[in-house]
């Protein structure tokens, strides 16, 4: 007689997407946390035209998929490439410059969604701006878990957005779809500020450019509306 194989009911799959630009010195500590993490079906690093050792650092992790291209196109474009390549039911976005990230933090970000407590999750880092910590939501956080279906058909749209408009765009999709959000406190995890990477003056200029790009996606009034719209979706 033939061998009957029992069909194992697998849970939802998660693709981890990390967008990186000149993060060769920092990305290793993030990859150390995610490369062996059993909850991911794949890890995708999008090297957004780096001119340092970012790609070489990623290639040291054979189980990590590297997408690399020559021209720096900005984080939103890189996010779109990661979304296009991903196959998981969910997408977990992580910034490449996180410090003190541990497997327990990754688990904390995914567990409430997989348990059905909320549709999406978003991190509140230890060094999120004070106003975000006060309201309990960092709505431009780069660390979040979302259903892939929310953005799978938006790749072409995202490729045309400003360099830093990705998170604001995803927020609009969350609000339109009325997806519930759980905020996961990451008190020990911080990201490296631009000023630490490129110096005070250039860092300030890049911060201003980032704000300007976000304002192309949303007006200041739109930011206020988006923040309130997201706060309404937060579940405890």
């Amino acid at each position: 007689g033939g061998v009957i194989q029992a069909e194992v009911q697998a849970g939802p799959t998660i693709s981890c997407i990390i967008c990186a630009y000149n993060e060769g010195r920092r990305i290793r500590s993030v990859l150390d946390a995610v490369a062996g993490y059993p909850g991911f079906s794949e890890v995708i690093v999008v090297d957004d035209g780096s001119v340092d050792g970012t790609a070489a650092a990623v290639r040291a992790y054979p189980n990590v998929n590297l997408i690399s291209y020559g021209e720096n196109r900005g984080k939103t474009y890189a996010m779109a490439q990661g979304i296009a390549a991903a196959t998981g039911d969910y997408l977990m976005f992580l910034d490449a410059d996180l410090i003190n990230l541990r497997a327990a933090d990754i688990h904390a970000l995914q567990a409430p969604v997989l348990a059905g407590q909320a549709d999406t999750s978003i991190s509140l880092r230890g060094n999120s701006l004070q106003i975000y910590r006060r309201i309990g939501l960092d709505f431009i956080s780069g660390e979040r878990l979302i259903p892939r279906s929310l953005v799978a058909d938006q790749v072409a749209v995202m490729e045309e957005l400003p360099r830093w408009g990705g998170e604001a765009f995803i927020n609009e999709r969350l609000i339109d779809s009325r997806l519930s959000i759980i905020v996961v406190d990451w008190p020990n995890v911080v990201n490296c500020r631009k000023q630490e990477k490129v110096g005070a003056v250039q860092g300030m200029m890049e911060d201003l450019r980032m704000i300007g790009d976000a304002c192309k996606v949303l007006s200041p009034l739109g930011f206020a509306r988006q923040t309130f719209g997201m706060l309404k979706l937060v579940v405890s």
Side-chain angles (χ1 to χ4, degrees), residues 108-137:
L109 198 61
Q110 74 165 47
V113 175
L114 296 190
Q117 296 170 17
D119 299 314
T120 66
S121 63
I122 190 165
S123 79
L124 186 63
R125 292 185 305 257
N127 70 334
S128 289
L129 293 179
Q130 201 58 43
I131 187 170
Y132 297 152
R133 292 201 63 82
R134 190 156 292 174
I135 65 174
L137 174 67

Side-chain angles (χ1 to χ4, degrees), residues 14-32:
I14 300 175
S15 299
C16 176
I17 299 172
I18 302 169
C19 300
Y21 174 60
N22 289 347
E23 296 291 356
R25 289 191 298 117
R26 287 169 286 268
I27 196 170
R28 285 185 182 87
S29 63
V30 176
L31 291 177
D32 284 344

